[in-house]
Structures are given as C-alpha cells and as structure tokens.
Amino acid sequence: MSRIIGIDLGTTNSVAAIIEGGKPVVIADADGQRLTPSVVAFGGGEEPVTGHNANRQRILNPKKTIYSVKRFIGRRGSDIKDEDMFVSYPVSGSGEEPVSIVVDDKRYLPEEISAFVLKKLKKDAERYLGDSVDRAVITVPAYFNDAQRNATKKAGELAGLKVERIINEPTAASLAYGIDKKLNATIGVYDLGGGTFDISILDIKQGVFQVLSTCGNTRLGGDDIDRRLIDFLLSRIAAGGGGDQSGNLMVLSRIREEAEKAKCALSFQEEVEISIPFLTSSFSFKYKLTRKEFEELVRDIIDRTRKPCLQAMMDAKLTRDDIDEVILVGGSTRIPLVQQLVEEIFGKKPNRSINPDEAVALGAAIQANVMSGLISNLLLLDVTPLSLGIETYGGFMNVIIPRNTTIPTRAGELFTTAVDDQSAVTIQVLQGERQMASDNWSLGTFALEDITPAPAGVPRIGVQFTIDADGILHVLARDVNTGKETAVHMKSTIDVPQDQVEKMVLDSIEHGKEDAAKKELFDAKVEADKVLTATRKALNKCSHLLKEEEKSLIGEAISRTEAAISRNDTAGIKESTTELNQATEHLASLLLGETAREVVEKKPGHK
Amino acid sequence: MVHKVLEHHDDNGRKVKCLSCGSPYEGFFCFDCHSLLSFSGDMDYFAMLDVEKRPVIDPARLKENFLKLSEYVHPDKYYNSSHDVQELALKSSSLLNKAYSTLKDPKERIRYLISIESDREAPVSKHASAETMEFFIDASDICSEIDRFAKKKGGDENLTQDHLKKLHELKEETWTRWERVLREVAELDKEWLTDSGDNRKTKVRRLTILSHELSYLSKLQSLIDELIIAIS
C-alpha cells in the first residue's frame, strides 16, 4: 500500500509532510519551496495554476485568483457576512445555498478550489517520493463544524486522495511538539493562522495526547489583520490625494500585497516604509508605519482570541497556573502583540520552539504513521469542539453530545410521534452552544419514515448519533418495536450530491480546454507583470536619480500597461510592455549601479 | 496479530472468555493474546475501568486505567483491521469514553452509582437542602443582573470590575459549598463496600439528595464561568 502523507491545508499556505528515518519532514516542491500558497489562478490553459505561480497573478488577475477559500468551505450563503466577502473574486450564495466562487461563468465550490491545491501537493509528494501517493491525513481547524470537516474530506477525494483521517490542527501541532520529548505535561496550543483561530488544552502523558478542551473562531486570523491595514492605507491614500481606490481591484491587490509585507516586517522591526509608486499615473503613495501605530490598529482583532482561551481553560476545569507551556502555532503568532497577549492570558512566556508554519503538517505526518501502524507508542484522544443536539419543541436546542466530549462518542435518543398515526418524524440536527436552535448551525434534517400507525406517543424510534475519530457525525435510526435499523441520510443543505460535484469538476476541465488566444493573453500578462514589478522595485530604489521627464514617461508607460491588462487586450499589453522596457533602460542601468554599490557597502569591514 | 471479534460470554453474562487464547477476561480487551473483546451490555462503568464501585474513587487511578485501555481499544489501533473489528473498536472506544466521562465527574458518578444501586427505583424529589436552594436562587439573581449588564455594550469599566469581583466571590463560595458536599460524600463512602441492607439504603437516599446539591452547584458554576468570560 502506498505511503500516507500528512497535509496541512491552510488558509494562506499549505504544507505536506512525511516521516523519513523516523523524523517528520516537510516535502519541498521542485523549486525547493516548503510552503505552497493556497491560491488557485484561472486564466491560462487547461488546468488552473496553483501555489506560488498562482500567487504571482494576484495583482494581475484579481477576479480569477482565488485565495483564502478556507473561509468559505462548508458554509452556506446565509453564513457569509458582507465583511467575509472581502476578497477580490466574486463569491455567490445566499440563504441555504452553498457558497460558490464564479470564474468565467463557472461555479466552483470551495472544496473544488481546495482540491486544486491538494492536487499540487500530491504531485509534489509523488515527485519527492518517486512513487504514487493516494492517501493522506488532512488537518482542519479544531473549531471546524461537521459540514466544514465533510467538505474538507471531499476536497481530498476530489484531488484523488483517500482521506484516512481528519485531525485538528492544534492537536497535530502538539504531536510535532511532543513526540520526541518524554513529556508529562499540560499544554496549551494557541494557533492563529491566516483565517482561523484555535486554542486547545492537552494533557500529554506517556505518549497519550489527550485533548481536554478546545475553543476558537473559524473567521479570525491574519486576513482580518491585513484587511484592517488595507482599510487604513486606503484612508491614507485618499487623504494624501490619491482618491478613493476602494473600488479599484488591481490597486487594491497591490495595496493588499504591501499591507501583508508591512505586517510581516513589523514583527521584526519597529517601523516600515510602505511605498506604492504610481498607484495612479500621477500619484505615488508613501507612508511610514510604526509598530506602535500598527498595534493600535489591530489590537481589538487580536484581543478577540482572549475569550476562547478563557473558555477553553474553564471547560478543562483548569486555571492558567495548571498549564505548563503554551505553544504558538500559525504565522500570525509571529506578531509581537499576539505573543504579549498570550503571555498576559496565561501568565507565562509562550513557547516558540516549533516552526509555526510547519508544525501542523509534521503532526499530520506523525498521525499518518500511527494510522499505518508504523508508530505504535502514540495515541491521540481528541474532542468534539461543538455541542451536538436536536431542535425540540419551542425552538430550543436539546444537547445530546456536549462540546469537549472525547471522540469517538456515541449517544442515543428516543423519539416518538406527536399525533395519532403519524408516519414520519423530521428531526433537525444542530451544532453550537446557543440555547435557541435558530442561533446554532443546522447540520441538516433527517426523517424517520415508515412508522407503523399507532396512537401518538406510542412508537419508539431510537436514534444513535456517533461522532467518529474524524469528528464527523453518523446517524443510525432503529425502530425499537421492530428492531429494524437504518443508516439515516442527513439531508444537509451544503451537501451537494456526489454526481453533481463530479459534473462540476468535469465542466471545469472541459471549460479549461486549451484556448490559444487565452493562453497568449495569459503569457502576455505574466510577462507584463514581471516588467511592472521590476520597474516598481527599481523606482523604489533610485527614482531620486531620475529626471522629472523620465519619471513621467515611465509613469505613463506603467498606466498604459495596466490599462491594457485590465482590458485583456493582448496586443496592447505586448506593445506597452515593450514601451515600458524601453522607457526604463536608463532606470535599469541606474539600478545596476545602485545594486553594485549596495554589494560593496555590505562587504564586511566597509561602512 | 489477529483481531477476532468475540461474542462469547459466560453464564452470568459478564466474564468473557477470549476465544483466541481461552483466557477468562472481563472487559474490552484480552491482555493475554491482544484481541479486542466484545463485552456484554450489563457490565457497569466501574468494572469497565477497573475501579471499586463506590462514591469516591481515586482520580489518578481512574485516569491511568482509562488511558491504558484507550491505547488498546482506540480505532486508530485497528485502522488496518477488518471492518467488523473497526466497528467494534469504535463501539468499545465510545463506551469507554462515556464511562470515563461519567466516573471522573463526581456529580455524574454519584448519579450513576445511585442508578445502579437503587435498581432504577422511583426518583426522590428533586429538592436539595433549603439552604442550597436559597443560595442558588440568590446567586442566580445576581447572575441575571450581571447578564443584563453584559448584554449592554460599552459598559463602564469600574462597574465591570465590581461585577467581576462579585462573580469571583460567588465562584469561591460555590466552590466552598461544592467541597463541603464532597466531604459529606466521602463520609458516606466510608465502609461503603461492607455496608448492606438498610444501612446502604439510607446512604443511597442521602447520596441522592447530595447529588441534587451538586447539580445545582455545578449549574451555578458554569453560569458564573460564562459570565466571567462574557465581561472580561
């Protein structure tokens, strides 16, 4: 049987890992990259582009470059607030419909987009191992509900992977942290990623990793911080005379890129110069952002992780003094303000010894080897993050399996009829912590049918709810009188039938068939973007050495190129790219000089 | 290693004879030949976790037994076994988890013990002592007042601090009462295994009342915890 790989399918980046020589290692792609951006770009030929190549298109092709799709996976239209729609590509779905992404009039479900990312990871792993890979352990945020877990599993299937186990990200990270140490400790795992936040508290004892409690927010992460910063920059741009750019997708994508860069830089330095030259043909933007100012901007977002931490401690019936270590996971934990908050909540300096980007995938690889029996002295006991219940009379939720119950778990409930000779009972299954059924997430409904006619209250139908080790729900109904058992199919609103999904996948492939004109446009855009990026970089470094008329010539060429890109005008793009190349010849030679000087200046002993 | 599904019980329905190696075994797993056992339905949680059937049990031993058994019955350990064995592992593991979560919580444990002791006799009235009831009602009133405050946004910082202080005091008080009840449970636990007849019956009746006290107090605890989180 083929090897099982571990995959962290992240909001921003995804990582694959495997055990080699007894140690979990990250699988790098052909270019040596360890992180694969969870980005899928449509545009060119047959299949969409994924990973780094797709990421490069974000500015060029904002409407067809799909990122952060994890925020939408397993969700319905009515779950998505306007603020969640803050992505540069069109997201549709309202009410009970699943959320979908529309590219070139084709609708894609979030799991289909994720499948493209998984396919790339699968391919990279196959190249690395020199063998086919068709089995994986995939991680999800601990606070993901049943629908989100199912959708993630489906993404794996669509990518041609048998998903052997879904495990929770913080739990996976704890495996990577604890496997080599003979640990006997109570730890907290604080996982703030690109789009989701989890806190889990675990007891580790003689190789058993027992989760005591977990809490989180599946819509909280680095994306929210970026967005806050983008809004701020937009207001500075408007105030500086750059006009209202909030509707200009291409400009927005550039601002987003700069915002993200600035955020990362501020984790290591006290201030950063944000510079976006030629935002319009006549306006260049520059702003010096200090860490202090940044922290004030995003403090309330980061502070939203506090309550889940307190909740998790209370659910585990522990105080902060009972927790020996708090491990940081997820890229956003590089932010000093996050580390400060964690220290304040838990009363101790957080432990930053594991790689926040890779630990989850490494843990998934460890669990993969547990599944194949290659590791036998380790066991994971996880919990279900959300209470499971059913709607009862009066619109209340009746909890059947409380949150933080160790999985697998099984609970039974007896149902009966409300009127004489009732032949079917419909039951609504819910997940969540609120009292009113309508405030919780509805997993779907199922019907108990063919009930033998009898007076109200006489029939007895036992329903068994099982949450398996993946955290996924299975329902089995049993007529107590006849003993007949039926596996109940839950009609989930976001559960699109398999054949429909297959059709959607086929459609997308057919649609993407090689189209010469499109391909040419695509290539022209990529080329243009390279030149644009190089020009902007060069301007950043040495625009002060240029004459005014040179600057305005370059500025015009940039705008012409950008305009051609947004018109999808292949010939125009090619022409303006050539012009831009010509206009920047002097700039390029200056840059060469500037770079040469930098090299000299950086030589040791040279000040 | 062969995992066989075993369906054999001896006459009293509790002992399971392992068919793979013949060792008599009670529980989920035959430690002699390492096979999952299919156990009979009437085995109680105390027996499953190999602890004495009494009101007070040693939490460390309970946990140790739970973890050890989990290592043998968890579905992860049977991932490459046949479908039947996987199903059995899922069933055993679910039951083991249920047994552990019941026994580790004093309130649930006592309730469970009463249910098997009294052979599901008609339950006595749901009342706790008048004193506990009064405390519960007063405390709930304070909690509802703070809850109304918590629902208004942008509360005054001083008031928040006052409320927090009050909640922590209430929590402390609830905890003290909880401990007091548990001390009485420990008293009843003495000579539990040798008690019989009327003596045992009297104890069970008293335990029933104490279990109600614990229910009220634990409800209050979670109410207070929720409010502390809401206003912190």
Side-chain angles (χ1 to χ4, degrees), chain A residues 1 135 162-165 203 205-206 208 210 212 306-307 310-311 314 367 370-373 375-381 406-410 466-469, chain B residues 60 63-64 66-67 70-72 74-77 79-80 87 89-91 93-95 97-98 100-101 104-105 168 171 221 224-226 228-232:
Chain A
M1 235 188 299
R135 304 163 75 198
K162 178 162 184 272
V163 182
E164 303 286 0
R165 173 59 44 91
D203 238 0
K205 212 177 173 186
Q206 284 144 20
V208 182
Q210 185 193 7
L212 302 176
R306 180 195 301 271
K307 281 184 183 173
L310 298 177
Q311 183 75 60
M314 283 185 179
Q367 179 64 20
V370 171
M371 308 298 296
S372 20
I375 297 179
S376 59
N377 54 350
L378 186 152
L379 178 67
L380 203 64
L381 293 176
T406 305
I407 51 173
T409 185
R410 193 166 265 186
T466 303
I467 298 180
D468 66 16
Chain B
K63 180 162 184 166
E64 202 184 308
F66 166 67
L67 293 182
S70 292
E71 285 189 70
Y72 291 108
H74 195 275
D76 280 4
K77 302 285 175 182
Y79 201 71
N80 299 309
E87 264 303 302
L90 177 65
K91 187 176 149 198
S93 196
S94 302
L95 189 62
N97 288 336
K98 175 80 185 152
Y100 176 64
S101 70
K104 79 171 177 203
D105 176 359
H168 280 292
K171 189 173 172 164
Q221 273 170 355
I224 294 169
D225 281 351
E226 258 173 47
I228 290 178
I229 291 170
I231 66 173
S232 308

Side-chain angles (χ1 to χ4, degrees), chain A residues 339-541:
Chain A
Q339 295 163 14
Q340 266 172 40
L341 182 78
V342 174
E343 186 172 347
E344 187 201 308
I345 296 171
F346 292 95
K348 51 187 67 75
K349 279 226 173 306
N351 179 319
R352 293 168 59 202
S353 63
I354 54 174
N355 182 320
D357 299 317
E358 297 180 354
V360 170
L362 297 177
I366 295 169
Q367 179 64 20
N369 269 25
V370 171
M371 308 298 296
S372 20
L374 297 169
I375 297 179
S376 59
N377 54 350
L378 186 152
L379 178 67
L380 203 64
L381 293 176
D382 219 319
V383 298
T384 178
L386 297 156
S387 300
L388 180 94
I390 51 166
E391 181 174 357
T392 54
Y393 186 73
F396 291 100
M397 164 152 162
N398 174 24
V399 173
I400 293 171
I401 299 173
R403 67 166 183 265
N404 295 320
T405 296
T406 305
I407 51 173
T409 185
R410 193 166 265 186
E413 194 84 350
L414 273 182
F415 293 93
T416 188
T417 49
V419 293
D420 290 348
D421 298 330
Q422 191 176 335
S423 66
V425 177
T426 302
I427 290 154
Q428 157 127 259
V429 185
L430 306 160
Q431 239 181 351
E433 309 309 325
R434 308 281 296 274
Q435 254 191 356
M436 299 307 296
S438 55
D439 292 334
N440 292 305
W441 166 275
S442 166
L443 292 182
T445 54
F446 64 84
L448 301 171
E449 284 158 336
D450 304 326
I451 301 171
T452 322
V458 170
R460 287 277 179 276
I461 304 128
V463 178
Q464 189 181 62
F465 298 87
T466 303
I467 298 180
D468 66 16
D470 288 335
I472 288 175
L473 175 70
H474 306 271
V475 185
L476 193 75
R478 184 163 174 272
D479 190 321
V480 177
N481 300 324
T482 64
K484 199 184 104 189
E485 276 192 356
T486 22
V488 178
H489 179 68
M490 275 233 301
K491 202 170 155 289
S492 164
T493 33
I494 56 139
D495 188 16
V496 179
Q498 186 67 32
D499 54 337
Q500 200 177 329
V501 171
E502 273 159 19
K503 189 177 168 293
M504 286 168 117
V505 176
L506 277 178
D507 279 358
S508 70
I509 293 168
E510 213 140 280
H511 172 82
K513 273 197 177 139
E514 185 71 50
D515 175 334
K518 266 194 183 156
K519 178 88 174 117
E520 198 187 352
L521 172 63
F522 178 74
D523 290 344
K525 278 187 178 181
V526 170
E527 178 59 26
D529 185 53
K530 274 190 204 154
V531 179
L532 279 172
T533 309
T535 307
R536 286 190 192 113
K537 263 194 195 145
L539 280 172
N540 244 353
K541 266 207 160 60

